[in-house]
C-alpha cells in the first residue's frame, strides 16, 4: 500500500514540474524573441492541435512551449488514473480495477470524443 | 500590451487561488472567476477556461503532498470519480441545449441556493464537539472505505470509515453534471457529499476532493480548448502562482485543526453561494 501512494505522489509531482518547466521556458522565449508590436494577449487555443505544438518546439516558439506545458498539465490526472489501474491489478483488487478503468474510459471520451461532437 | 505589473498581478492571484483551493478542496475557481471577471473585466467563458486549467494545477500540485501524507484517500476518490466524470460528460453534452434556451441563469441560481442551504448542516457540524459515529452499512466494507492518517494538529493517528457510498455517488453525479454545464470544478458539492453525506473526517474530505477535482476539470478542459476559451499567455503567470500557492496550502492543511478547516470552508461556501446567485441574476 505505502509504495503505491508514493508512486502516485511522484507521478503527480513529475507532471506538474514538467508542465511548469515548459511554461517558464515558453515565457522566457517569448520575452527574448518576440519582436515588439506583436501582441499575444488575445491568442487562444482555438484551432491549435497537439501535432501543431510539437512542430513549434524545434523552432523555439515560446507559445508552443507554453501550450505544451498546458497539455502536460491536462494529461497529468489521466496519467494518475492510468497508474492506479496497474496498481489495483497488481493488488488483484478487481473491483477497483473495474472502477478505475471506467473512470479512464470516461476521461478519454471526455477528452477525445466530446470536443468533436460539441464543436461539430 | 501586457505589462510586467499585470503579469505579477496574475501570479499573485494564482497564489491566492492555489492556497484557498488546496485547503478547501474547491480548486481555483472560487478566487479566480470573480477576480478575473470583476477586477480585470475578462469575459466569463475565458475566466472559466483559466479557472478549469488552474484547478488541474491546484489539484495535482497539492495532491502529491496529500497522497504522500495519506490524507487523501485514493480508493474513496477513485470510486466517486465514476460519477463525477460521467456527470461531466452528460453536463457538457447538455450545455449547448441549456445555453440556446438561456437556462444557465436558472442553473446558477439553483446551484447558489443549494450551496447556501448546505451551509446549515456544515455549520451544525462545526458546533458539535464530537461527531456521532454511524453504523457501518454494506458499502463501507464492499468498497473498502476505510482509512487511517496521522493528524499533525492533534499528534494522533485517526482511523475512519466512510458510509452511504451510494448517496455520495449521487451527490458526485450532480457535481459532475454542474461542472460540465457551467465549466466550474464544483468542488463544493464534492466536499459536502463526503463531509455531510459520507461522514468522512473534514481533512480527509477536503484533501480527497482536491485529489478528485483534477480529473473532473481535465474532463471538462478539452471543450474549452477547442472553443478557444483558453488564453495561454494570461494562464502562464497564473499557473506559476498556483504552484506556489497550492504548495503552501498542502503544507498548511495537515497542521490545521479540523474545526478550523471546516470553518474556513464554511466562509468560502457562503461567498461562493452568493457569487453563483449574483452570476445567475446577471450582476457578476
Amino acid at each position: 500500500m505505502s509504495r503505491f501512494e508514493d508512486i502516485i505522489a511522484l507521478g503527480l509531482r513529475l507532471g506538474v514540474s514538467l508542465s511548469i518547466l515548459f511554461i517558464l521556458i515558453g515565457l522566457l522565449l517569448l520575452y527574448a524573441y518576440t519582436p515588439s508590436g506583436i501582441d499575444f494577449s488575445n491568442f487562444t487555443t482555438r484551432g491549435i492541435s497537439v501535432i501543431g505544438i510539437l512542430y513549434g518546439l524545434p523552432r523555439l516558439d515560446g507559445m508552443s512551449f507554453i501550450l505544451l506545458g498546458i497539455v502536460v498539465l491536462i494529461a497529468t490526472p489521466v496519467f494518475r488514473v492510468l497508474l492506479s489501474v496497474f496498481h489495483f491489478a497488481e493488488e488483484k483488487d478487481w473491483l477497483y480495477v473495474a472502477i478505475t478503468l471506467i473512470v479512464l474510459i470516461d476521461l478519454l471520451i471526455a477528452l477525445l470524443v466530446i470536443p468533436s461532437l460539441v464543436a461539430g | 500590451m501586457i505589462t510586467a505589473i499585470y503579469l505579477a498581478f496574475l501570479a499573485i492571484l494564482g497564489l491566492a487561488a492555489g492556497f484557498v483551493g488546496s485547503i478547501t478542496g474547491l480548486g481555483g475557481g472560487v478566487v479566480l472567476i470573480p477576480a478575473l471577471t470583476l477586477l480585470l473585466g475578462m469575459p466569463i467563458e475565458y475566466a472559466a477556461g483559466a479557472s478549469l486549467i488552474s484547478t488541474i494545477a491546484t489539484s495535482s500540485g497539492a495532491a502529491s503532498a496529500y497522497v504522500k501524507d495519506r490524507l487523501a484517500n485514493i480508493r474513496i476518490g477513485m470510486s466517486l470519480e465514476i460519477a463525477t466524470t460521467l456527470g461531466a460528460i452528460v453536463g457538457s453534452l447538455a450545455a449547448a441545449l441549456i445555453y440556446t434556451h438561456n437556462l444557465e441563469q436558472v442553473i446558477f441560481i439553483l446551484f447558489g441556493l443549494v450551496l447556501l442551504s448546505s451551509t446549515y448542516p456544515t455549520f451544525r457540524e462545526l458546533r458539535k464537539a464530537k461527531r456521532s459515529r454511524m453504523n457501518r452499512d454494506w458499502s463501507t466494507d464492499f468498497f473498502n472505505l476505510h482509512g487511517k492518517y496521522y493528524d499533525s494538529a492533534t499528534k494522533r493517528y485517526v482511523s475512519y470509515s466512510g458510509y452511504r457510498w451510494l448517496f455520495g455517488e449521487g451527490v458526485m453525479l450532480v457535481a459532475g453534471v454542474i461542472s460540465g454545464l457551467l465549466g466550474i470544478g464544483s468542488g463544493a458539492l464534492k466536499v459536502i457529499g463526503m463531509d455531510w453525506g459520507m461522514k468522512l473526517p473534514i481533512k480527509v474530505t477536503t484533501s480527497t476532493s482536491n485529489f478528485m477535482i483534477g480529473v473532473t476539470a481535465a474532463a471538462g478542459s478539452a471543450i474549452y480548448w477547442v472553443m478557444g476559451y483558453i488564453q495561454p499567455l494570461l494562464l502562464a503567470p497564473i499557473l506559476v502562482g498556483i504552484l506556489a500557492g497550492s504548495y503552501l496550502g498542502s503544507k498548511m492543511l495537515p497542521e490545521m485543526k479540523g474545526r478550523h478547516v471546516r470553518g474556513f470552508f464554511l466562509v468560502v461556501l457562503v461567498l461562493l453561494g452568493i457569487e453563483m446567485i449574483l452570476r445567475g441574476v446577471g450582476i457578476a
Side-chain angles (χ1 to χ4, degrees):
Chain A
M1 189 73 183
S2 63
R3 200 174 58 91
F4 170 51
E5 266 110 2
D6 292 336
I7 290 174
I8 294 274
L10 191 72
L12 288 170
R13 187 159 299 165
L14 195 72
V16 175
S17 310
L18 264 180
S19 157
I20 287 294
L21 183 72
F22 287 132
I23 289 174
L24 287 176
I25 292 176
L27 279 174
L28 281 177
L29 285 173
L30 271 191
Y31 180 73
Y33 289 127
T34 309
S36 57
I38 296 185
D39 186 1
F40 277 112
S41 53
N42 290 321
F43 183 90
T44 77
T45 48
R46 183 186 286 272
I48 303 283
S49 68
V50 174
I51 305 286
I53 295 173
L54 294 179
Y55 275 118
L57 298 181
R59 288 190 284 109
L60 292 183
D61 170 39
M63 188 52 80
S64 294
F65 275 87
I66 296 180
L67 287 166
L68 181 65
I70 297 176
V71 170
V72 169
L73 196 60
I74 296 175
T76 301
V78 185
F79 178 61
R80 185 266 278 174
V81 174
L82 188 68
L83 275 181
S84 313
V85 177
F86 289 122
H87 164 72
F88 289 129
E90 202 182 63
E91 269 196 352
K92 297 198 173 24
D93 187 341
W94 303 119
L95 174 68
Y96 271 87
V97 170
I99 286 173
T100 315
L101 274 177
I102 294 173
V103 174
L104 187 65
I105 292 167
D106 277 353
L107 254 181
L108 293 178
I109 291 175
L111 284 172
L112 305 176
V113 181
I114 300 281
S116 55
L117 287 181
V118 173
Chain B
M1 209 53 201
I2 293 183
T3 62
I5 297 174
Y6 191 71
L7 290 182
F9 179 72
L10 288 176
I12 292 170
L13 213 57
L15 188 91
F19 182 75
V20 174
S22 57
I23 287 183
T24 55
L26 297 180
V30 191
V31 173
L32 281 179
I33 292 186
L36 292 177
T37 53
L38 295 178
L39 295 179
L40 301 181
M42 192 186 273
I44 183 72
E45 53 273 31
Y46 294 96
S51 145
L52 262 188
I53 305 294
S54 302
T55 296
I56 305 177
T58 308
S59 167
S60 302
S64 64
Y66 293 153
V67 168
K68 228 175 153 58
D69 292 344
R70 312 293 184 263
L71 211 48
N73 189 309
I74 297 182
R75 272 197 168 74
I76 294 178
M78 283 305 318
S79 69
L80 295 176
E81 274 163 19
I82 293 184
T84 56
T85 47
L86 195 71
I89 291 175
V90 173
S92 55
L93 285 176
L97 204 72
I98 297 292
Y99 281 91
T100 49
H101 291 82
N102 290 319
L103 289 172
E104 74 272 18
Q105 314 286 92
V106 180
I107 294 168
F108 272 117
I109 295 173
L110 279 179
F111 183 47
L113 290 176
V114 168
L115 293 186
L116 286 182
S117 54
S118 64
T119 54
Y120 177 65
T122 309
F123 181 67
R124 235 180 23 188
E125 288 290 333
L126 188 66
R127 296 187 57 190
K128 268 186 214 161
K130 203 152 175 81
R131 180 169 248 186
S132 49
R133 276 188 101 85
M134 286 182 75
N135 288 327
R136 55 174 60 178
D137 56 23
W138 66 272
S139 66
T140 309
D141 292 316
F142 185 77
F143 288 106
N144 193 2
L145 307 177
H146 306 287
K148 187 179 169 189
Y149 70 96
Y150 178 72
D151 194 328
S152 316
T154 55
K155 308 249 179 293
R156 255 193 299 228
Y157 279 95
V158 179
S159 293
Y160 62 88
S161 301
Y163 313 92
R164 300 193 290 196
W165 181 83
L166 215 54
F167 180 76
E169 199 78 1
V171 176
M172 298 305 154
L173 190 69
V174 177
V177 172
I178 289 182
S179 72
L181 276 180
L182 305 181
I184 51 181
S186 70
L189 283 181
K190 293 189 181 69
V191 173
I192 293 164
M194 282 186 276
D195 177 38
W196 183 54
M198 297 175 75
K199 301 283 177 198
L200 293 166
I202 187 71
K203 282 157 83 168
V204 172
T205 294
T206 62
S207 60
T208 304
S209 166
N210 176 80
F211 176 73
M212 293 167 63
I213 44 176
V215 166
T216 322
S221 64
I223 295 171
Y224 277 75
W225 180 291
V226 172
M227 305 288 263
Y229 291 148
I230 295 168
Q231 294 173 302
L233 194 59
L234 298 186
L235 196 52
I238 297 180
L239 289 177
V240 175
I242 289 269
L243 188 72
S246 64
Y247 178 79
L248 282 179
S250 70
K251 289 292 159 214
M252 203 158 132
L253 178 72
E255 308 294 330
M256 284 172 76
K257 288 207 176 78
R259 298 190 57 228
H260 297 159
V261 177
R262 191 175 274 120
F264 189 45
F265 172 72
L266 188 63
V267 172
V268 178
L269 192 63
V270 172
L271 294 176
L272 185 64
I274 295 172
E275 182 193 328
M276 290 297 138
I277 290 178
L278 287 181
R279 271 172 76 178
V281 296
I283 292 176

